[in-house]
Amino acid sequence: MRREKIDVLVIGGGAAGMAAAVQAANEGVKTVLLEREKKTGGVLNQCIHNGFGLHVFRKELTGPEFMEELWKELSETNVVVKNNETVLNILPETKEVIAQSPEGMKIYKVGSLVLASGARERPFNSLLIPGTRISGIFTAGVAQKMVNIYNRMPGKRVLIVGSGDIGLIMARRLKIEGMDVVGVVEIRAEPGGLMRNVVQCLEDFSIPLLLSHTVIEIHGRERLEGVTIAQVDENFKPIGGTEKFIPIDTLVTSVGLIPQNELIEDFVDMDPINKGPVVDNLMRTSVDWIFSAGNNVAIHDLVDFVYEEGKIAGKYAAKVAKGERLPKAKYHFKRGRNVGVMLPQRFTATEPFKIYIRPKRTLESADLKIGGKTYRRYAWKLRPSQMIDFIFRDFESLTSKDFEVEIEVVENG
Amino acid sequence: MDKKIICIACPIGCEINVHIEKDGKMKIQGNRCKRGESYAKDEILNPKRVLTMSIRVENGEMDLVSVKTDGSIPKKLIPKAIEYLKGVKIRAPIKVGDVIVENLLDTGVKVVATRTVLEDAILQLSNK
């Protein structure tokens, strides 16, 4: 087996991993980036719509353009990019990483590690919809890859299940490519994706959105022939008498993303809400030489945030590889009212950092409170589909070590 | 008359209210930035969109190259623009930013490539 000693190993060549590798290399350490596909870019490769880069590059880019900006940054560094290479195992006791590459198995002895393994789509089978498992059912990301990368159409007449952003984007995309898009069904009473996508993907193309509806049965023998949909009550139970048969040959699901952490979840502290590793503001996990950034830490809605996290993870991973001692994350955030996904969970209080929060439910207007003190008033609607970010720098008055983060509804606001 | 508009200029999606007076003057409220104001005005007078899609590549490492309109075009032209771009075929290599259509349907807006597509290595060899 080939052995190689390196300073920083970055696992995953998406936005977070590329940003981390660039930053680590800029700190002057030997950095290797591993990507399991034949090219870096991750999901940006197939997200050909625009809306990326407003925070980081101050202009509106498409996914591939954002990716090319990162390729440019990478090309100006000494990062060694290894495509077609998959990590199989991380050995925490020896700081070794085992990877499968076209040249055979490899063992990397690392100074530090950045895990940027992203997320996978929640599969259709997790919805527990009765019926046979026939062809014609795709997750939105798979349909997106077929259409945008491989030039293949998934079918002729499609229904989308779930109104997450990728589902909305794919409704439009499949319509543009000539499919008959009969609609989007969403089990909740409000759309899962951003309102801008409801407007520009559905309303612009006259695609109906059926809220409080879901698919209750799959029909067909080999290829999908149709589905039964029904309205649901507030407990998501189908309401008798509302069933309707929809003839379709394709079903596309957009029902959420799952952070991918199989490589580390057995030995780092995990956050059950984020479904990712507990991190501090340096993007360090509970194992002090393993850093993490992007969608495997928590599902983000903007690639810009993922990029910024990658830069932080790369910077501090490089410092650890150089033997620098980093400050301890002595302070802890605890989730309070209305706080869902949240990161970081710990902080060092040595430099200002961003805290990201996804509200648990839609709030008309609300105050962000940390440790009982109000830091920011949001005078507009907060939705679970949109993460809020807030720069925390108030370290003067830190009298305790535990801080409750809460979003409190403003009365008469 | 009042019209409610959800801004699509950024992911925040401000709910903008446009009050239109009898003389056509507009009072715009609810937007949190200037881009929202111009979006709302356009949305009343002449709705515009950026179109992103992909077009065929003849000899590329990929069969498709992703493209976008390098500026927004009138919304009502979108179906026509889609049909037009489906008929366009280009040859690799293509670089990000390459102009693929100089003037889309006389809008004065360019269509540009949003990614690099290299020549297919095997095709390249067999042509030599």
Side-chain angles (χ1 to χ4, degrees):
Chain A
M1 238 184 293
R2 286 159 184 251
R3 287 181 162 274
E4 198 177 333
K5 205 173 165 219
I6 53 179
D7 295 323
V8 176
L9 183 73
V10 181
I11 301 173
M18 289 196 283
V22 164
Q23 197 61 34
N26 285 342
E27 294 281 325
V29 299
K30 186 179 173 189
T31 306
V32 173
L33 172 63
L34 301 186
E35 166 56 45
R36 69 178 169 201
E37 299 249 3
K38 61 182 180 188
K39 266 194 172 172
T40 52
V43 81
L44 289 170
N45 264 297
Q46 64 191 64
C47 294
I48 67 166
H49 51 282
N50 62 352
F52 304 90
L54 283 168
H55 291 254
V56 172
F57 298 110
R58 299 272 154 209
K59 51 187 173 182
E60 189 163 28
L61 303 173
T62 64
E65 288 173 308
F66 194 103
M67 171 181 85
E68 297 246 2
E69 293 286 341
L70 273 160
W71 283 356
K72 215 186 294 164
E73 288 188 26
L74 267 178
S75 70
E76 289 158 5
T77 68
N78 299 324
V79 174
V80 178
V81 178
K82 300 196 178 190
N83 296 319
N84 299 309
E85 203 161 320
T86 305
V87 172
L88 303 177
N89 210 352
I90 298 169
L91 308 177
E93 300 82 13
T94 54
K95 292 195 181 182
E96 285 174 317
V97 174
I98 302 173
Q100 174 78 57
S101 81
E103 303 98 63
M105 299 285 276
K106 281 187 190 165
I107 298 180
Y108 294 99
K109 177 95 179 163
V110 305
S112 65
L113 190 70
V114 179
L115 184 75
S117 46
R120 280 181 184 277
E121 287 175 282
R122 198 173 145 210
F124 172 74
N125 284 358
S126 69
L127 301 182
L128 304 176
I129 296 169
T132 45
R133 272 21 185 176
I134 47 185
S135 72
I137 302 172
F138 305 91
T139 59
V142 167
Q144 189 178 44
K145 196 167 188 174
M146 285 176 73
V147 173
N148 292 349
I149 307 283
Y150 296 119
N151 196 20
R152 296 286 181 275
M153 292 298 287
K156 293 192 172 70
R157 193 172 148 85
V158 61
L159 177 78
I160 319 271
V161 189
S163 61
D165 285 311
I166 318 171
L168 301 175
I169 298 277
M170 280 316 291
R172 172 177 65 180
R173 187 72 192 108
L174 294 171
K175 182 94 173 186
I176 286 177
E177 287 302 330
M179 270 183 94
D180 183 5
V181 183
V182 298
V184 177
V185 291
E186 166 59 53
I187 196 166
R188 294 175 191 276
E190 57 184 307
L194 298 171
M195 286 311 293
R196 73 184 308 218
N197 286 333
V198 174
V199 172
Q200 62 184 350
C201 298
L202 302 188
E203 289 172 14
D204 276 6
F205 290 87
S206 311
I207 299 169
L209 171 62
L210 287 167
L211 297 172
S212 300
H213 276 74
T214 193
V215 171
I216 58 166
E217 203 178 342
I218 301 291
H219 305 277
R221 284 178 64 85
E222 287 180 359
R223 176 76 191 196
L224 182 65
E225 284 161 20
V227 293
T228 303
I229 64 166
Q231 201 178 334
V232 297
D233 63 19
E234 56 271 29
N235 300 314
F236 306 131
K237 288 261 183 302
I239 300 170
T242 63
E243 301 89 351
K244 207 174 152 194
F245 177 77
I246 313 271
I248 46 168
D249 66 358
T250 309
L251 188 70
V252 165
T253 61
S254 170
V255 289
L257 298 171
I258 306 169
Q260 289 298 293
N261 293 295
E262 286 87 347
L263 290 170
I264 56 167
E265 63 193 1
D266 292 340
F267 56 86
V268 306
D269 292 352
M270 295 291 290
D271 181 318
I273 308 278
N274 294 357
K275 298 188 166 57
V278 169
V279 289
D280 61 23
N281 56 308
L282 314 180
M283 300 314 293
R284 173 174 52 181
T285 69
S286 60
V287 176
D288 63 4
W289 54 277
I290 299 181
F291 293 74
S292 194
N295 273 353
N296 67 297
V297 177
I299 303 301
H300 296 66
D301 22 61
L302 295 188
V303 69
D304 302 68
F305 294 164
V306 160
Y307 170 99
E308 286 169 2
E309 279 177 27
K311 290 270 163 140
I312 295 168
K315 176 179 170 185
Y316 290 100
K319 287 183 188 294
V320 167
K322 282 193 272 191
E324 279 182 42
R325 283 184 79 89
L326 298 181
K328 280 213 168 73
K330 285 186 285 194
Y331 304 96
H332 296 244
F333 286 135
K334 290 206 167 14
R335 285 188 180 85
R337 252 173 306 174
N338 296 319
V339 173
V341 165
M342 174 188 85
L343 73 135
Q345 297 88 343
R346 301 171 181 166
F347 62 103
T348 56
T350 50
E351 57 200 276
F353 64 92
K354 260 189 191 173
I355 169 165
Y356 296 104
I357 301 162
R358 201 180 282 289
K360 253 189 198 158
R361 59 189 179 95
T362 302
L363 304 165
E364 286 300 328
S365 64
D367 285 337
L368 171 65
K369 286 188 171 179
I370 301 174
K373 186 171 160 186
T374 300
Y375 280 90
R376 177 144 185 201
R377 170 157 294 186
Y378 295 90
W380 53 87
K381 207 180 261 184
L382 301 181
R383 298 173 192 271
S385 58
Q386 206 206 330
M387 247 183 177
I388 52 178
D389 60 308
F390 172 75
I391 297 175
F392 190 59
R393 56 171 95 239
D394 181 24
F395 305 142
E396 303 296 319
S397 53
L398 296 180
T399 47
S400 89
K401 289 201 166 160
D402 293 301
F403 299 86
E404 191 175 43
V405 179
E406 50 192 333
I407 310 174
E408 195 176 40
V409 178
V410 180
E411 300 296 331
N412 311 317
Chain B
M1 188 182 68
D2 277 36
K3 252 193 130 168
K4 287 219 183 303
I5 289 171
I6 292 167
C7 183
I8 64 165
C10 89
I12 292 170
C14 291
E15 288 172 26
I16 303 176
N17 189 63
V18 184
H19 179 74
I20 307 164
E21 305 272 349
K22 282 201 182 102
D23 59 2
K25 266 199 189 129
M26 285 188 265
K27 202 174 149 205
I28 295 167
Q29 280 175 316
N31 54 307
R32 284 157 57 196
C33 77
K34 278 188 188 152
R35 300 203 305 153
E37 194 179 318
S38 60
Y39 173 77
K41 268 191 193 146
D42 276 351
E43 207 55 13
I44 300 292
L45 301 172
N46 178 21
K48 290 180 198 158
R49 295 289 185 269
V50 168
L51 174 64
T52 59
M53 60 183 281
S54 53
I55 62 172
R56 303 264 293 279
V57 180
E58 268 177 4
N59 57 330
E61 52 174 345
M62 301 169 66
D63 291 345
L64 298 168
V65 60
S66 53
V67 298
K68 68 172 183 186
T69 55
D70 190 23
S72 41
I73 61 171
K75 199 168 125 180
K76 58 179 189 289
L77 281 181
I78 296 271
K80 235 176 142 183
I82 291 169
E83 278 323 301
Y84 176 76
L85 289 173
K86 276 183 187 170
V88 176
K89 228 178 182 185
I90 55 165
R91 290 184 68 79
I94 302 149
K95 286 198 310 294
V96 61
D98 280 0
V99 176
I100 287 161
V101 179
E102 197 58 59
N103 179 6
L104 180 66
L105 305 175
D106 287 325
T107 53
V109 175
K110 293 186 186 92
V111 175
V112 296
T114 57
R115 71 171 299 148
T116 300
V117 177
L118 301 175
E119 257 180 281
D120 182 88
I122 296 165
L123 277 178
Q124 214 176 345
L125 272 179
S126 60
N127 286 343
K128 273 186 185 158

